[in-house]
């Protein structure tokens, strides 16, 4: 390993001769003096030098004396440098990575992602995303959950047959998993409480700012619940833990993006689906994006909450594994969590008796045979259980104010984009 001081810690070494390493973020050559700004994973450092200096995106190692300077980032700069070039770029970056406002449109950024994402403002959402996942894991580990890893190549669709990618699996038809739904439920029979952070695939024909063909799903499932409200309470903890981790681990990304982190109420307000319909004067069996926005604004006005649960979605709009509301025929123990105007999470209580699955499939005119593997769990005894899935990219987009979900993932996959 190259022995170096990280740029964020340079001020602790005032007066010493130290080595930093990173990329030339910016080069400015004036008549009498020249400056290099070097970028590493922790930040930027200024180097004062003379003569010809390596250009932007050269990978360099610089040894110099740490000296106070009020103009330099972090209040110190390196003087009397010895500069060694570790790698020289073959071409300049597609746009200036040092500009405080990104001077490129989204397609250009995505086409050049391996370089473009080096821009601190383009990297920041990814740092927030990583910190969120760390907080999710930390919280669920603390609550006694076990992390699982389920197959992404599967024999049957989970979230209804639509929007599924088919693949050729050694000459047999197979699918890319739309969610870990069946496997996470099955694993409740093994561990009681499980979670998974993994990719899921949706053959989304919509070209929207909130849909991807591959996204990261933060899934959880837990047994011995009295109903969906127990699941909502765990989700509330998970979201609070994610935010706490973002605050702790991604402070500089939060401040450079000017992100305002939401407060999570001790109890997130919840309204029933029929109430949501009444409030938005609708009789549609689902909520439109416009209704979701309206309801979110209402929750801020009425409850000071940027989060809102909508519970009791119609059974007809939920998958066959959904538990009905015993008190309200036609409605489910399923919920969505809205955050800043958008559906962020879907979850609910599931059926847990084998015979209820057989009836549910029959009622929907679906054959049992493709689900035999999954249904084993219920044949051998499963506790009342429920769970949820949170879309990571949607979360990061809402949190950072990114207008397009494609700004929150390094290599988005959509209707048109398959590379880089
Ligand atoms: P659902 O299909 O609603 O539920 O997905 C859960 C969450 O995933 C996110 N999401 C998406 N994000 C980006 N691009 C997409 N195409 C996309 N589709 C969905 C949303 C959504 O709320 N098995 C159930 C979950 C459960 O009940 O546990 C499921 O997958 O944030």
């Amino acid at each position: 390993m190259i022995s170096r001081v990280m740029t964020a810690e340079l001020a602790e070494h005032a007066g010493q001769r130290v080595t930093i390493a990173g990329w030339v973020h910016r080069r400015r050559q004036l008549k009498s003096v020249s400056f290099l700004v070097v970028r590493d994973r922790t930040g930027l450092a200024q180097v004062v030098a003379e003569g010809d200096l390596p250009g932007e995106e050269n990978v360099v190692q610089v040894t110099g004396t740490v000296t106070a300077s009020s103009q330099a980032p972090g209040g110190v700069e390196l003087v009397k440098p010895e500069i060694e070039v570790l790698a020289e770029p073959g071409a300049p970056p597609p746009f200036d990575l040092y500009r405080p406002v990104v001077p490129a449109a989204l397609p250009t950024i995505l086409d050049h992602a391996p370089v473009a994402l080096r821009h601190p403002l383009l990297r920041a959402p990814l740092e927030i995303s990583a910190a969120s996942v760390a907080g999710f894991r930390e919280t669920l580990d603390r609550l006694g959950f076990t992390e699982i890893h389920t197959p992404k190549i599967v024999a049957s669709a989970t979230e209804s047959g639509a929007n599924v990618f088919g693949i050729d699996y050694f000459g047999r038809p197979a699918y890319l998993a739309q969610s870990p739904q069946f496997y996470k439920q099955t694993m409740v029979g093994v561990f009681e409480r499980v979670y998974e952070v993994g990719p899921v695939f949706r053959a989304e024909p919509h070209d929207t700012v909130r849909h991807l063909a591959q996204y990261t799903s933060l899934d959880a499932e837990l047994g011995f619940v009295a109903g969906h409200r127990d699941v909502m309470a765990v989700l509330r903890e998970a979201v609070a833990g994610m935010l706490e981790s973002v605050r702790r681990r991604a402070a500089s990304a939060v401040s450079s993006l000017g992100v305002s982190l939401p407060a999570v109420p001790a109890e997130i307000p919840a309204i029933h689906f029929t109430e949501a319909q009444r409030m938005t004067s609708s009789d549609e069996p689902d909520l439109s994006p416009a209704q979701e926005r309206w309801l979110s604004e209402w929750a801020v006005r009425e409850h000071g909450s940027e989060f809102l649960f909508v519970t009791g979605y119609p059974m007809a709009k939920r998958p066959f594994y959904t538990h009905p509301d015993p008190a309200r025929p036609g409605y489910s123990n399923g919920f969505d969590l809205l955050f800043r105007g958008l559906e962020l999470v879907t979850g609910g209580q599931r059926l847990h008796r084998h015979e209820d699955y057989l009836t549910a499939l029959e009622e929907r005119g679906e054959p049992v045979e493709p689900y035999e593997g999954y249904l084993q769990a219920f044949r051998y005894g499963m506790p009342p259980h429920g769970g949820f899935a949170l879309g990571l990219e949607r979360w990061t987009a809402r949190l950072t104010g990114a207008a397009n979900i494609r700004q929150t993932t390094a290599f988005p996959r959509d209707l048109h984009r398959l590379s880089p």
Side-chain angles (χ1 to χ4, degrees), residues 159 181 184 202 204 212 215 321 343-344 346 350:
E159 309 302 321
Q181 183 65 35
K184 69 174 179 172
R202 304 277 170 104
E204 285 292 349
L212 294 167
Y215 68 91
Y321 53 75
E343 173 206 316
L344 170 69
T346 295
R350 329 296 189 185

Side-chain angles (χ1 to χ4, degrees), residues 235-306:
L235 171 56
R236 190 248 162 230
E237 289 306 297
V239 167
M242 290 165 76
L243 284 167
E244 198 279 317
S245 172
V246 167
R247 222 169 262 129
R248 185 159 35 96
R249 292 188 168 91
S252 77
V254 166
S255 79
S256 67
L257 290 174
V259 169
S260 94
L261 297 177
V264 189
E267 195 166 333
I268 294 174
I271 55 171
H272 193 269
F273 180 80
T274 50
E275 185 67 10
Q277 270 184 319
R278 193 189 57 72
M279 285 162 58
T280 54
S281 315
S282 153
D283 51 13
E284 295 296 318
D286 230 335
L287 297 178
S288 68
Q291 285 171 292
E292 291 178 348
R293 280 196 297 277
W294 190 92
L295 291 165
S296 264
E297 284 162 19
W298 171 85
V300 170
R301 275 200 315 275
E302 287 299 307
H303 298 282
S305 172
E306 298 195 80

Side-chain angles (χ1 to χ4, degrees), residues 159 178-179 181 184 202 204 210-213 215 217 219-221 321 336 343-348 350 387-394 405:
E159 309 302 321
Q178 294 167 298
S179 90
Q181 183 65 35
K184 69 174 179 172
R202 304 277 170 104
E204 285 292 349
R210 58 181 196 284
H211 289 95
L212 294 167
Y215 68 91
S217 186
D219 272 87
E221 197 75 19
Y321 53 75
D336 275 7
E343 173 206 316
L344 170 69
V345 182
T346 295
R350 329 296 189 185
F388 63 83
L390 180 153
L392 179 63
E393 293 80 0
R394 283 197 185 179
I405 195 167

Side-chain angles (χ1 to χ4, degrees), residues 145-339:
F145 283 71
T146 300
E147 180 165 8
I148 57 169
H149 306 278
T150 67
K152 305 304 157 208
I153 302 174
V154 297
S156 58
T158 49
E159 309 302 321
S160 83
N163 301 356
V164 61
F165 286 110
I167 59 166
D168 171 34
Y169 188 69
F170 304 120
R172 284 156 57 193
Y175 305 98
L176 294 180
Q178 294 167 298
S179 90
Q181 183 65 35
F182 296 167
Y183 293 98
K184 69 174 179 172
Q185 282 187 264
T186 301
M187 293 304 279
V188 165
V190 177
F191 290 117
E192 294 186 15
R193 299 184 152 202
V194 295
Y195 71 88
E196 177 163 13
V197 177
V200 295
F201 305 89
R202 304 277 170 104
E204 285 292 349
H206 320 297
D207 203 356
T208 80
V209 296
R210 58 181 196 284
H211 289 95
L212 294 167
Q214 174 179 339
Y215 68 91
T216 302
S217 186
L218 307 191
D219 272 87
E221 197 75 19
L222 62 150
F224 300 99
V225 299
H228 56 292
R229 295 204 173 256
D230 290 340
V231 180
M232 289 155 63
V234 168
L235 171 56
R236 190 248 162 230
E237 289 306 297
V239 167
M242 290 165 76
L243 284 167
E244 198 279 317
S245 172
V246 167
R247 222 169 262 129
R248 185 159 35 96
R249 292 188 168 91
S252 77
V254 166
S255 79
S256 67
L257 290 174
V259 169
S260 94
L261 297 177
V264 189
E267 195 166 333
I268 294 174
I271 55 171
H272 193 269
F273 180 80
T274 50
E275 185 67 10
Q277 270 184 319
R278 193 189 57 72
M279 285 162 58
T280 54
S281 315
S282 153
D283 51 13
E284 295 296 318
D286 230 335
L287 297 178
S288 68
Q291 285 171 292
E292 291 178 348
R293 280 196 297 277
W294 190 92
L295 291 165
S296 264
E297 284 162 19
W298 171 85
V300 170
R301 275 200 315 275
E302 287 299 307
H303 298 282
S305 172
E306 298 195 80
F307 298 94
L308 175 69
F309 277 119
V310 180
T311 63
Y313 279 78
M315 279 301 282
K317 281 285 156 185
R318 297 301 243 208
F320 70 88
Y321 53 75
T322 305
H323 198 294
D325 179 350
R328 282 177 105 141
Y331 293 95
S332 72
N333 276 357
F335 62 81
D336 275 7
L337 178 64
L338 309 185
F339 173 43

